[in-house]
Amino acid sequence: MTDPIPSSFLPLSPDRYHLTVPLTEDIRLLNRMLGEVLREQGEGDLIELARRLTDLSHEEGAVPALVTERLPELADPTVARRLLRAFTVFFQLINTAEQKEIVRVNRERSTPLFERNHRETDPNTLPSARSESIPEAVYRLKADGLSAEDMQNLLDRLDICPTLTAHPTEARRRSVLDKLHRIAQALADRAMPSDLPRLDTPLADNVRDAETELRRILTALWQTDELRASPITVPEEARNALYFFEQTILDVVSWLHHDLRTALANAYPGHSFVLPSFVQYRSWVGGDRDGNPNVTPEVTWRTLLEHRRIILEFYQKRVDKLRRELTLGLRNVAADDELLASLAKDTAEVPLSPNRLTRHRAEPYVLKLLFIYERLQAAVRHVRTLSDLDRDHDGPPKDRHAYRDADAFLADLTLVRDSLRRNRAGVIADHGPLAALVVQAQTFGFHLAALDIRQHSDEHGRALTEIFEKAGLLSPETPYADLPEEEKLALLSRELRNPRPLIGRDADLSEATRNVVNVLDVVRSARRLLSSRSVLCYIISMTHEVSDVLEPLLLAKEAGLFRWQGGRCHSELDIVPLFETIDDLHRCDTLLRRMFSSPEYQAQLEARQRFQEIMLGYSDSSKDGGFLAANWALQDTQARIAEVMREFGLSLRLFHGRGGTVGRGGGRANRAILSQPTGAFGGRIRFTEQGEVISFRYGLPPIAHRHLEQIVNAGLLALSPHREGPSVAPDAWRNAITEMAAHSRIVYRQLVHEDPEFWEFYAEATPIKHISRLPIASRPVSRSGKRLTSVDDLRAIPWVFAWVQSRYMIPGWYGFGSALEWFAGRQPDHLEVLRTMYREWLFFRTVMDNAQMELVRAHMPTARWYAARTVDRELGERFHRRIADEHRRTAEWTMQVTQQERLLAHATVVRNTVDLRNPAVDPISLLQVALMDAQTDGEDDPIRNEAILLSITAVAAAMQSTG
């Protein structure tokens, strides 16, 4: 590669990859600036090292052993560490430039919405709308004939629930993320027209000003340590997740409501719609205790307090800002307006200073907002008094004027809004900060985001074994955990209806059992002291039997969250089974029928308005059965679950446990919604947002807005009675993919689960043992927390992470090519069947397109360097040939089915960005393998260990993916 800018960090020519002009310019600028900053920081030697290492990595026959032979400087791990840090920053800058470009392109495509309005000339013609936006969905539904009443009914059914998790797939520190976001803003400022009036700076030269800011932030970024000094704690994980609520989510949700109101007003002029809180967030961070002993009941309580504190302080800031705007005088308010009567009540209850009362007596809206602010401040003080959990405390806040709940706060905001409407200020009421604050209060309440509690099914069985023994119901010789399923059900059913508790609150229990019990006490306290919306569900990992669902119900009964009263059941929590393995997915409809037939669970359903949420695990199913088998099992399972729900007359919400990578269910969420089988989507959907996906989707408000508007667009269109495309795949297609999934599963399991030498290969040919030391998560990489010895004990995230690092990427494609080849070879017309499926069946097209992405990101020449690390070189070469052959087969058959000359030919922008990255990833991989090869068994060199960990973060940044 020629270097058009000698001062740049890498000899990269982005214009060779057919990127947009703005993106090409940004990459060239950042590459040059990084080189300049490195020289300023006395790190100019890294530029020459990076170029020589890059050249070496592209030589035919290059091997890691040549690194220290040809570049002896890199034998010093201190130098290697510095170089890897430079590569990491380089790719972080490239990623940031791409984010900024996404924002630019989306804004460019939206410009006509603000410049044209065809309704000015033809009242029957709607404005143009950007593809996959909320207005596009509304206008399409109106064009399809939906009346205003039909549209209201559709909106009432829409319930989209993104759920943030703490899964360890974000390798970057919060301080690093902050600086990258500021770099994106500086790039955007630099692109602003120089003649555009700037009111926020005395300088008129946008380019010079922005480049100075870029250099300043980049210098700070270089001098910021990439790795944390110690593993992240659960409270830190919670703060990191909550950061994105303050950064983007709170404002973007109100932005979506504005989009929808505007689109409805255009499509149905004169009609008034009631908008529900159609996007509501939840979180697992601080509540997910599956395999994480660090998530204690105390941590969960403090997390819930932090939720409430953050949202209350957010409201305070917005109310304070709003009262500076609503300075409308008393003469503009009718004498009999309800607002004025409320001020008299507030004056008697809220201790506002006489000076303020006098100063603002002629500004009723300012005065009302001052009272609102003081009530919020008192509510914040109440949160601080609850920092130490007292489970017996249920009294009111010490300050009697404090808001007890969000309903009272919302009532006051609504009073202000309605008064403005009545007094000829409707435009102020329905647009701008007040309208946004009303939406935020409706959506986020005083809980911010409901916190899910998740626990592994085995933990409930172990806890009840001890509790039943303490209660004298079972002896140590016949422990509960060893009972047959039918005996478990009989015991659970009897005790669920028994009003007496099994044990006293002060019972002598083991620490493990006490933690299982106490977290439900925390839930009870949170629902009473903080918000009834603070915790809404309890998720059971690895649900295999009906007893797995009744066990947490019995534990909830002990905490007073499930009870019988007057012959009726009262339950405060949704019980959510999580089906994760292929076998559990295949049999879950049978399990659900047995579950819903249980009289005790029927009572639970009645108490929850006959609503049932079911979670599907994408990660473990893929690790268990491979890419195609998992995708089809999940799709088929959704259809079978929907059928069971119809049989029992239940309302369903599917909760999709999707990861960031294709191998863990990643991909475009809107396509996943549109490709769901008939009956699986009734307007309600949940999905996880994990790791680096959170920072990518929610780091910048415009990207967060685009992500969510695409999901809302898909949700609206999927609910349409005029939905396009075949609602049910023909039996021939379903039979074809069922057979292919079964064949691919065999091929996958033969490699991963049945070959006795596979673990040896995986453990030596990937950096999995180093990933387990990366300080990016509060929970261990294995479910048991013990030393890794098999695939089964390894969590799905590090499983995928290691394959990304070694460039094999097998979780996103392995076995698919064999299945395509096998099916196409059975009958002469089968290839055409597959081509038709790809053209006409969105689900199959999505699966194939996702596989294409992973096939392109995989790189077998690089992967061979990792395979050669095995102690038994023949074993490593054997597995490498096996995987490489399947990669070649999958690529060839994918192109045959999609009728493309190269992979991702239908997505040239994505393909071009991958092509830009791949050559620059090779030197990092070569150095990573060389560092691992140079490490002797038992060596504990902290500098070399840090260099290896930095190589992992560098590859993660380059691949834009961890797990």
Side-chain angles (χ1 to χ4, degrees), residues 68-138:
T68 53
E69 179 182 322
R70 300 266 290 273
L71 289 82
E73 305 97 316
L74 292 177
D76 181 351
T78 302
V79 177
R81 182 180 61 183
R82 290 166 48 225
L83 180 59
L84 287 162
R85 174 80 175 110
F87 270 109
T88 301
V89 171
F90 171 76
F91 275 110
Q92 288 173 343
L93 295 174
I94 299 298
N95 298 342
T96 302
E98 288 183 357
Q99 283 186 297
K100 176 257 182 181
E101 178 65 3
I102 291 171
V103 173
R104 186 195 67 79
V105 170
N106 285 332
R107 283 181 174 167
E108 185 177 82
R109 291 173 179 172
S110 298
T111 299
L113 293 177
F114 302 97
E115 293 181 349
R116 296 197 307 268
N117 190 332
H118 297 300
R119 296 176 71 245
E120 293 178 359
T121 56
D122 183 354
N124 297 315
T125 302
L126 292 167
S128 60
R130 179 175 55 177
S131 174
E132 298 182 344
S133 66
I134 291 175
E136 184 211 37
V138 170

Side-chain angles (χ1 to χ4, degrees), residues 412-423:
D412 275 348
L413 292 180
T414 303
L415 183 67
V416 172
R417 182 196 65 190
D418 292 348
S419 174
L420 289 167
R421 286 174 175 172
R422 287 191 296 267
N423 292 288

Side-chain angles (χ1 to χ4, degrees), residues 15 96 194 228 246 297 301 402 433 461 478 542-543 578 639 793 847 874 923:
D15 49 320
T96 302
S194 59
R228 298 177 178 90
E246 299 174 277
W301 174 247
T478 57
M542 291 294 173
T543 302
L578 168 52
D793 193 42
V847 169
E874 290 185 5

